Structures are given as structure tokens and as C-alpha cells.
Amino acid sequence: MINLKLDKAVHMLGLSMNKLSVVSGVRPHTVGDLVRKDSQRIDLDTLDKILNALNSIAEDRGLDIRFGVADIIEYEYIRKEPN
């Protein structure tokens, strides 16, 4: 199962979805869907833009934080029970 965790990064930095949209260049609707976990897919270019924006904002604020894919997307293996 894939879980989105972008909301945690946005909260950690105290960002609005609009600010992340402006800095990343990703459409506000797309950012909102990802933060609210309403998205079924994410384009690699979008992922790159969002991670670059998060890291840029953290750096500008003097924070020693670097965001990677695992910070906003999580994979959990769920074993299916045999019938």
C-alpha cells in the first residue's frame, strides 16, 4: 500500500498549500490533492518540483532538514492471507 505523507512535511515547515504551490510551480489543485491524500498518482516531475521546493524552503529558513521521497511517500507491504 502506498501512503502519501506530504501533509507532514507541509506541517513541519508551517507552509500553506498555496505557498508550496507557488514555490514549486505545481498547480494548487495538484498540491491540495497530494496534501489531502486525494491523489491516485504522482508524476515524477511533480515529485521532483515538490521536493526541491521543500528543501529550498527549509534551507532558506536555516533548517538542517533534507526531504527525500521517503519523507512524502511511504510503502507498506500488506500480506494477503491465503484463501
Side-chain angles (χ1 to χ4, degrees):
M1 176 186 296
I2 303 289
N3 298 307
L4 294 174
K5 304 187 305 182
L6 182 57
D7 60 321
K8 292 177 184 176
V10 167
H11 179 72
M12 180 188 299
L13 292 175
L15 294 176
S16 68
M17 289 184 281
N18 186 59
K19 173 74 173 180
L20 181 56
S21 174
V22 169
V23 174
S24 67
V26 175
R27 292 182 328 113
H29 184 76
T30 301
V31 170
D33 283 349
L34 293 169
V35 170
R36 288 187 305 272
K37 305 175 185 185
D38 289 338
S39 184
Q40 295 298 312
R41 65 183 53 89
I42 183 169
D43 182 79
L44 292 178
D45 185 54
T46 299
L47 180 62
D48 185 57
K49 288 177 180 179
I50 287 173
L51 286 169
N52 283 331
L54 291 173
N55 286 314
S56 175
I57 292 166
E59 184 178 324
D60 288 349
R61 294 181 178 181
L63 302 174
D64 190 26
I65 301 170
R66 293 297 169 260
F67 293 94
V69 174
D71 295 310
I72 61 173
I73 298 175
E74 175 181 66
Y75 170 73
E76 178 184 357
Y77 174 69
I78 299 177
R79 183 177 185 170
K80 292 184 181 181
E81 294 296 324
N83 293 335

